[in-house]
Every structure is written in C-alpha cells, then in structure tokens.
C-alpha cells in the first residue's frame, strides 16, 4: 500500500480508500470482516455519507464500532453532508443549520465522538460561505470534525470557500475512472474544436495540484453516472483487452490495473473503491503494486474510446 500525508495533522492515509456507499445489505459482522480485511491490506481510510441508504450505511458501521471499539483508532473515517431528500424531493443544503444537524447525526449513527474528515457532498448553488464557515468552525472547535473538504466542486467554488472558510479545503472528491474522464479530456484537447475540448470543470485536476488539495476519485470502476462496471463489460472490449494484458504481465486483476491508472495522476490522489466483497478488497489493494508506464497510461486512455489531437 502507498500512503500520502493528509490534513492539518499530516496523517498518513492509504491511497486506496474503502467507500461504504453500498454496504446497506451487509450485516454488521460482514461489515466488520470487510473493514478488517481492508486494514489488513493497509487500507486505513473509510468513506461514507449521511445520505447513503438514508443513514443506514453509517448505522451499520456504528454497530461495528460499538461491538469492536478497538477498531476506531485504526480507522480514518470521512463522511459527507449536504444532499437532502425530503418527502421524495432531492436538493442540496449547505445552510449552517443543516450542516450542524448533519454532523451530529453522523456522529450518533457512527457511534463515535468525531469524524476525521467532513466533505460538503454536492455544490449547493444557494450556499452562503460565511454560514458554512460558522458551522465548520464550531464543529472543529468542539472536536467533532478534524479536517474539512468538498466533493464534486469546481475551482471557483473552492476559491469562494477558501475566501471565507477558515478551515483549509483538504480534498475534493470527484468522479474519475478509465472510462469516465471529462476532467482529463479537456486538458488533452485544449485549443481544439472537438467536444472533448469542452471544459466542464475548470481544470479541476490542475487546480487541486496547484493548491495542494488531495484528489479523491470515486466510482473508479464505473462508466457513466452509475451506469455500471466497465470491467468485463462488452461495451468496453478494447479497454478490457488492454487491462487484461497488463494485469497478466503484472500478476494482478484487471480491476487493480484500472485503479492504478487513476492513481498514476502525478499528485496526491486516492482511489475510493466501493466493493462489498472482502476478496475484492484484497485484489484492488494490489493496485498500488502496479507500475504503469506513460505509454501504458495513454494506451488505456485510448482503449477506453478516447482520442488524442
Ligand atoms: N462524492 C460523491 O459524489 C460520490 C459518489 C459516488 C460514490 N462515492 C464514494 O465512492 C465509493 C466508490 O463508488 P462505487 O461503489 O461506485 O465504486 P466502484 O468501485 O467503481 O464500484 C463498486 C461496485 O462495482 C461492483 N463490481 C463489479 N465488478 C467488480 C470488480 N471486478 N471489482 C470490483 N467491484 C466490482 C461492486 O460489486 P461487489 O460489491 O459485489 O464487489 C460494487 O457494486 C462509494 O462507496 C462512496 O464512498 C462518492
């Protein structure tokens, strides 16, 4: 496993994070096994959100922590808030009141006195940055939250937050995989008239690098917006052919190669994996053992159906 320094205390975090968005059908015992497997592989970072299965995912992890309090110190736990569903209506809420209530809800469900990182989940156009500052400052001061970050934000939103929020934005969690590359395509097609050159997120990768903001890539094995897994998928035959070949050469699975492709970006970057199977956690953790040459990286990019100018 590889590690990066993160946050105000420079904690060493694994570059593979175990995402727990899909654990709602697991029992606490199965979840405990998943967590222990991750820890055994050197994965010490765990990602949740208050909205995952309406809080059920956090409650399951909370049960694990109440059965096994010894695990808490071994786990760096991140959660997110700001996505609401009220009577079937989805919306985003970064109001002081909602952030404050959300943090307390997260701590209660997780059965812990603090989380190591809190992310604002999806941009709320109506956000008032001064209010966000008040909510985050109070939570940090009370020891409920250690570090602060964002998710799915563009550079200008982060600039706005950095102007008014005293806590540093430590990370931005964005969607990125070998088959989902808008943040990369635009940079490769600067000055071109093709659609690939359309700048959708304001050079977010370069911006994070410039500002020492850790990039956390989510859905590292998915294509589209939750359309499915590209590994073994006939829609991505060429990509799978290349991944399989490299996997065979390096003695790992093609999924591990696909994650290594994300981690090859030359900055502090973490891959948030979402498997619920302990066996797969072991396979995917080996992604940090894979070495991809520049040539292989570009080969994978193009095998996914992308072109270069
Ligand atoms: N910030 C955001 O807006 C945002 C959005 C979405 C997700 N996330 C975070 O990112 C994490 C990962 O997202 P994700 O679950 O979409 O990631 P993922 O790792 O791309 O997908 C995991 C899913 O793929 C399935 N899968 C099928 N074949 C697989 C294979 N060969 N290897 C591994 N998994 C395979 C897994 O099933 P099995 O369980 O059966 O292995 C699981 O359902 C989430 O848990 C969450 O923490 C954040």
């Amino acid at each position: 496993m590889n590690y990066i320094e993160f946050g105000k205390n420079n904690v060493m975090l694994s570059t593979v994070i175990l995402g727990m968005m899909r654990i709602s059908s697991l029992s606490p015992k199965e979840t405990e096994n998943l967590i222990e497997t991750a820890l055994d592989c050197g994965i010490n970072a765990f990602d949740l959100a208050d909205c995952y299965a309406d809080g059920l995912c956090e409650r399951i992890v909370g049960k694990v922590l109440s059965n096994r309090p010894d695990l808490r110190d071994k786990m760096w736990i991140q959660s997110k808030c700001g996505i609401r569903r009220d009577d079937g209506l989805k919306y985003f809420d970064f109001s002081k009141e909602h952030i404050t209530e959300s943090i307390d809800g997260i701590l209660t469900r997780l059965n812990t006195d603090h989380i190591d990182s809190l992310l604002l989940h999806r941009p709320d156009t109506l956000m008032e940055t001064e209010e966000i500052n008040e909510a985050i400052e109070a939570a940090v001061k009370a020891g409920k939250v250690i570090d602060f970050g964002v998710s799915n934000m563009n550079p200008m939103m982060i600039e706005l937050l950095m102007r008014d929020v005293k806590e540093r934005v430590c990370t931005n969690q964005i969607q990125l995989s070998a088959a989902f590359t808008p943040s990369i395509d635009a940079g490769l097609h600067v000055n071109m008239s093709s659609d690939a050159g359309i700048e959708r997120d304001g050079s977010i990768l370069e911006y994070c690098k410039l500002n020492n903001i850790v990039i956390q890539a989510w859905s590292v094995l998915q294509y589209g917006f939750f359309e499915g897994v590209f590994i073994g998928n006939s829609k991505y035959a060429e990509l799978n052919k290349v991944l399989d070949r490299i996997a065979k050469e390096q003695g790992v699975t093609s999924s591990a190669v696909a994650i290594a492709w994300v981690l090859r970006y030359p900055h502090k970057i973490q891959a948030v994996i979402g498997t619920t199977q302990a066996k797969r956690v072991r396979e995917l953790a080996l992604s940090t053992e894979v070495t991809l040459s520049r040539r292989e990286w570009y080969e994978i990019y193009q095998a996914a159906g992308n072109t270069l100018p």
Side-chain angles (χ1 to χ4, degrees):
M1 184 50 56
N2 294 330
Y3 296 87
I4 53 161
E5 280 187 5
F6 187 103
K8 59 165 79 79
N9 299 323
N10 299 319
V11 286
M12 296 305 286
L13 293 189
S14 50
T15 53
V16 176
I17 299 179
L18 181 63
M20 309 193 84
M21 176 182 75
R22 301 182 192 263
I23 63 161
S24 59
S25 59
L26 299 188
S27 67
K29 196 65 206 167
E30 289 166 328
T31 306
E32 182 182 320
N33 180 38
L34 194 68
I35 292 170
E36 288 217 282
T37 303
L39 291 170
D40 192 45
C41 296
I43 298 172
N44 60 4
F46 299 84
D47 183 71
L48 284 147
D50 60 355
C51 64
Y52 293 163
D54 261 337
L56 178 58
C57 298
E58 288 179 335
R59 272 195 292 277
I60 293 170
V61 174
K63 281 229 173 77
V64 173
L65 293 178
S66 104
N67 296 339
R68 290 283 313 279
D70 58 300
L71 287 177
R72 179 64 188 93
D73 284 348
K74 298 177 185 160
M75 297 170 70
W76 178 92
I77 302 180
Q78 172 170 273
S79 192
K80 319 182 197 74
C81 69
I83 298 183
R84 296 188 72 163
R85 275 184 195 82
D86 285 347
D87 289 331
L89 181 78
K90 181 180 187 179
Y91 63 103
F92 307 130
D93 187 348
F94 289 176
S95 65
K96 179 180 176 184
E97 192 188 15
H98 182 68
I99 293 174
T100 305
E101 276 175 14
S102 300
I103 293 168
D104 287 340
I106 289 168
L107 297 182
T108 304
R109 287 188 293 277
L110 283 175
N111 193 27
T112 185
D113 62 354
H114 75 280
I115 47 171
D116 299 284
S117 168
L118 177 83
L119 308 188
L120 301 179
H121 205 158
R122 267 211 176 267
D124 169 14
T125 311
L126 306 182
M127 72 177 175
E128 306 274 7
T129 44
E130 294 82 1
E131 272 194 53
I132 295 173
N133 180 50
E134 285 172 26
I136 299 299
E137 278 301 285
V140 169
K141 208 166 159 207
K144 295 177 179 180
V145 168
I146 308 290
D147 280 314
F148 167 64
V150 299
S151 176
N152 307 304
M153 283 209 185
N154 68 28
M156 281 303 161
M157 292 165 180
I158 300 175
E159 283 287 310
L160 201 54
L161 281 171
M162 294 212 292
R163 187 192 65 186
D164 294 332
V165 178
K166 288 199 196 84
E167 282 298 312
R168 228 179 79 66
V169 173
C170 294
T171 186
N172 188 16
Q173 194 174 105
I174 59 168
Q175 186 175 5
L176 177 64
S177 76
F180 189 90
T181 53
S183 56
I184 288 173
D185 304 339
L188 284 171
H189 290 81
V190 168
N191 202 33
M192 306 301 292
S193 58
S194 61
D195 281 0
I198 295 171
E199 184 59 82
R200 292 189 165 82
D201 49 25
S203 303
I204 190 62
L205 297 180
E206 291 81 3
Y207 175 84
C208 288
K209 199 167 167 171
L210 269 170
N211 289 281
N212 197 25
I213 294 171
V214 173
I215 298 162
Q216 294 181 349
W218 56 267
S219 287
V220 281
L221 298 176
Q222 312 277 321
Y223 62 96
F225 188 59
F226 299 115
E227 283 180 56
V229 177
F230 57 82
I231 299 295
N233 187 323
S234 57
K235 278 190 185 172
Y236 287 90
E238 192 52 38
L239 175 58
N240 278 288
K241 210 166 114 192
V242 174
L243 294 174
D244 287 346
R245 191 198 76 226
I246 299 171
K248 205 166 161 205
E249 284 163 9
Q250 303 217 17
V252 294
T253 60
S254 54
S255 313
V257 177
I259 293 168
W261 185 88
V262 168
L263 293 174
R264 179 68 174 77
Y265 186 73
H267 175 51
K268 284 184 181 174
I269 182 162
Q270 295 173 292
V272 193
I273 61 170
T275 183
T276 55
Q277 298 187 35
K279 178 177 166 283
R280 281 186 171 155
V281 170
R282 287 201 185 281
E283 292 170 1
L284 304 183
L286 292 177
S287 55
T288 59
E289 306 288 314
V290 176
T291 311
L292 287 183
S293 67
R294 186 175 250 102
R295 187 187 188 285
E296 287 167 329
W297 190 89
Y298 277 99
E299 188 184 8
I300 290 170
Y301 178 75
Q302 290 173 86
N306 300 301
T307 55
L308 295 181

